[in-house]
Each structure stands twice: as C-alpha cells, then as structure tokens.
Amino acid sequence: MDNNYTYNKDDYEDLSLRDAQMLMADILKDVHELCEKHGIKYFLDAGTLIGAVRHKGFIPWDDDVDIGMIREEYNKFLKIAKKELPKHLFLQTFETDEYYNVYPTPCKVRYNNTLFLEDGTEENHKMHNGIFIDVFPYDSLPKHNFTYKIQRTLSYNILKSFKRLRDMPEHLSFKNKITFSFYKLVVKMFPNKRRLRFFNYLVKWNDSKSKYMGYGVDTYWSEYVYKKSDYFDLTKLEFEGEYFYAPKNYDAILTRLYGDYMTMPKQEDRVWHAKEMKKLKGL
C-alpha cells in the first residue's frame, strides 16, 4: 500500500501481534544499518528499552518500537533517510506526507504494503498507515527553567490544538465551542510549514552545552528531563536476537519513566494500541 492510496481489503490478510512485531524488528534493523553507515547515534527508548532489558525483545503485548536521537542526529537522519531508506520503507514526517496527523510524533518509519490502525483514534486513510517504528527527537534544555516553561507551553498548546481538532466530537457544549474556536485559530495560524519553522525557532532557545535533555519541542512530553551523562556513551542491548544501541545508564532512565519497571504489570494493564494489523497477501 503506497502512501496516500486507498486499498482493497480483499488483497490484505490479518497479521498476528507476533508477526507485526517481527516486521517492526525488520524496520529497526534497517534503520540501525543506515545509522551505522552514517555514524548517526540513536538509542532504544520507552517500552522498547524495557523490552530489551526485561525480555531481550518485545514486551509480549507491545505493538510499537520507539527510538530516540538528539536533535543534531535526528536532523541528519531525516536528511539521509529520505534518500537511502530501503524501497520497502517510507519516512513519514509532516513534510513527506501531507496527510500525516499524528501530531505528538514528528517521525515514523513505515513498512509499505502493510496496515496498522490504532484503537481509539479516528481513521485517516489518506496518510500512510503502515506498520511503523517511532523516531523521537531529544533536545538540550535552555539555560533557564523559566525559558523552558515558556518554550514548552507554546509548543504543547500548538500540538494540543491540532490533536483536539482531529478528535473533535460531533456535538459540543457552548463552553467547548469556545474552546474549539481557540483551537481552530491556532491551527489556522500554524499550518504544517509554519508550525515546523516555529518549532525550529524554539529549538534555538536551547543550550547545546546543557547537561540535561528531554523529548523535543515537537513532542508532548516536557516532564521528562534526563542527564545526558546517563545516555552517553551508548551501550548495546539484545533485542530479538540482534544488538541495538541503548542509553548507558538505562536503569536510571527507566526508573525515572516507569518506577519499578522490572515488575510485570497486572494482566488487565497489558494492553496494546492496534485494532487492525494487516499486510498485502504474498508480502
């Protein structure tokens, strides 16, 4: 299924969670090889990092892969991946896919001729919906905490406006009509290209010499701040029979994110995002 194409469901077959995981692992391998070729530093992130530490592979019920890169490496990756990703993969950003609307995640690498629809999210068949891995930028922090708060308040409210309009309910109360009028104004002020330029401007507020970093200004998560020394120099961890880069002090990072991450959650909390996973027959 190529980008922006509708598809005939009769041509596709359902994937098990494990089959989908293996396709995600293949994407990760290809991204790893591209990064190795060009000296781009990346690291396993979030649930994927837990999976590597606790299971040496996927958390059994997990249905995505997350990696991170500091902003300089991320920008380099975007430039190179546009030209050098294998033909069966698609680099999805707000520049490469005009219909892309997963606003808190600025970059995905998708597997062509596959389908992944998320539960609880309005379907958008115009954008590329292939099985994917997420690529998150990380930014150094500004010199002053006050500057950081302003920076993240601006970026968060812009992203929130786009997401809320995407998921806007059909019937609004009077109060919500006022709120959504504000969202519409923000979205009108910041179409894709202008929004990306504004985020690039906010990135310039950062201090590259800071000892701390967090998720990029083009994501939601301002509450997670880490010591750079906990990440670099990177180590390697096993994940599905291969070795990938991971933060040096992954225990400190995962504890910051999840607390006691080595204890398995209760059965009822073991959920995944997908409501539909398919691939082209014969792929």
Side-chain angles (χ1 to χ4, degrees):
M1 181 174 62
D2 293 327
N3 189 31
N4 301 335
Y5 278 53
T6 57
Y7 73 103
N8 184 350
K9 287 193 175 184
D10 292 338
D11 295 332
Y12 283 74
E13 59 187 3
D14 290 334
L15 285 170
S16 69
L17 174 59
R18 187 59 179 164
D19 288 338
Q21 288 176 342
M22 290 300 94
L23 288 177
M24 295 172 202
D26 286 343
I27 301 173
L28 181 59
K29 290 175 191 175
D30 286 326
V31 168
H32 167 79
E33 290 176 5
L34 185 64
C35 289
E36 286 279 73
K37 178 181 176 181
H38 292 280
I40 298 171
K41 293 182 179 180
Y42 76 89
F43 44 85
L44 302 181
D45 198 12
T48 308
L49 183 56
I50 287 183
V53 175
R54 196 170 68 196
H55 304 276
K56 295 187 177 181
F58 283 93
I59 297 172
W61 56 91
D62 201 8
D63 61 0
D64 67 1
V65 167
D66 300 312
I67 65 172
M69 303 176 184
I70 60 173
R71 180 68 63 175
E72 294 79 5
E73 303 292 315
Y74 175 80
N75 288 340
K76 183 178 178 181
F77 173 76
L78 294 184
K79 184 177 180 180
I80 291 170
K82 284 180 185 178
K83 302 176 182 178
E84 296 191 28
L85 274 179
K87 297 297 183 183
H88 64 278
L89 299 181
F90 174 69
L91 179 74
Q92 186 176 48
T93 68
F94 297 105
E95 294 177 300
T96 64
D97 186 347
E98 64 177 309
Y99 298 105
Y100 183 49
N101 68 354
V102 187
Y103 297 105
T105 308
C107 177
K108 293 178 182 285
V109 179
R110 301 267 193 180
Y111 206 115
N112 291 326
N113 298 310
T114 66
L115 179 70
F116 182 104
L117 298 179
E118 293 192 52
D119 193 23
T121 301
E122 182 180 348
E123 293 183 16
N124 173 8
H125 288 285
K126 289 186 177 181
M127 76 175 185
H128 195 307
N129 283 291
I131 286 169
F132 62 89
I133 72 170
D134 288 325
V135 184
F136 291 105
Y138 274 67
D139 286 330
S140 298
L141 268 58
K143 288 184 178 179
H144 305 291
N145 189 50
F146 179 71
T147 305
Y148 183 63
K149 288 181 178 180
I150 294 175
Q151 179 193 57
R152 297 312 300 236
T153 298
L154 289 170
S155 65
Y156 175 79
N157 280 287
I158 291 172
L159 290 171
K160 179 183 176 182
S161 296
F162 277 85
K163 185 177 186 302
R164 292 300 300 275
L165 274 189
R166 184 192 71 182
D167 301 330
M168 184 173 65
E170 293 184 9
H171 303 289
L172 299 173
S173 66
F174 177 73
K175 181 180 179 180
N176 281 339
K177 285 181 180 179
I178 296 175
T179 302
F180 276 90
S181 295
F182 170 75
Y183 294 150
K184 289 178 182 178
L185 177 62
V186 173
V187 167
K188 187 175 182 180
M189 290 173 59
F190 292 98
N192 276 356
K193 289 184 179 180
R194 187 179 296 170
R195 186 177 74 252
L196 294 175
R197 285 198 300 268
F198 184 68
F199 286 161
N200 286 335
Y201 169 73
L202 292 180
V203 168
K204 294 178 182 178
W205 296 9
N206 298 327
D207 176 15
S208 61
K209 296 180 180 179
S210 174
K211 295 180 180 179
Y212 299 94
M213 68 181 195
Y215 286 101
V217 297
D218 38 359
T219 71
Y220 276 168
W221 305 283
S222 61
E223 66 269 35
Y224 300 112
V225 173
Y226 307 97
K227 294 179 181 178
K228 288 180 180 177
S229 60
D230 283 337
Y231 280 81
F232 306 105
D233 287 333
L234 299 171
T235 187
K236 276 190 172 183
L237 293 175
E238 185 178 355
F239 188 87
E240 298 297 342
E242 303 283 343
Y243 283 83
F244 300 97
Y245 289 103
K248 177 179 68 176
N249 191 359
Y250 52 80
D251 178 68
I253 291 161
L254 289 176
T255 300
R256 171 81 176 86
L257 267 172
Y258 301 106
D260 181 13
Y261 64 90
M262 291 301 288
T263 298
M264 297 280 279
K266 296 178 181 178
Q267 191 69 38
E268 60 267 25
D269 295 328
R270 301 177 188 182
V271 297
W272 57 81
H273 310 93
K275 66 178 178 182
E276 195 170 354
M277 295 181 290
K278 295 179 180 291
K279 72 176 181 69
L280 189 68
K281 292 177 180 177
L283 180 66

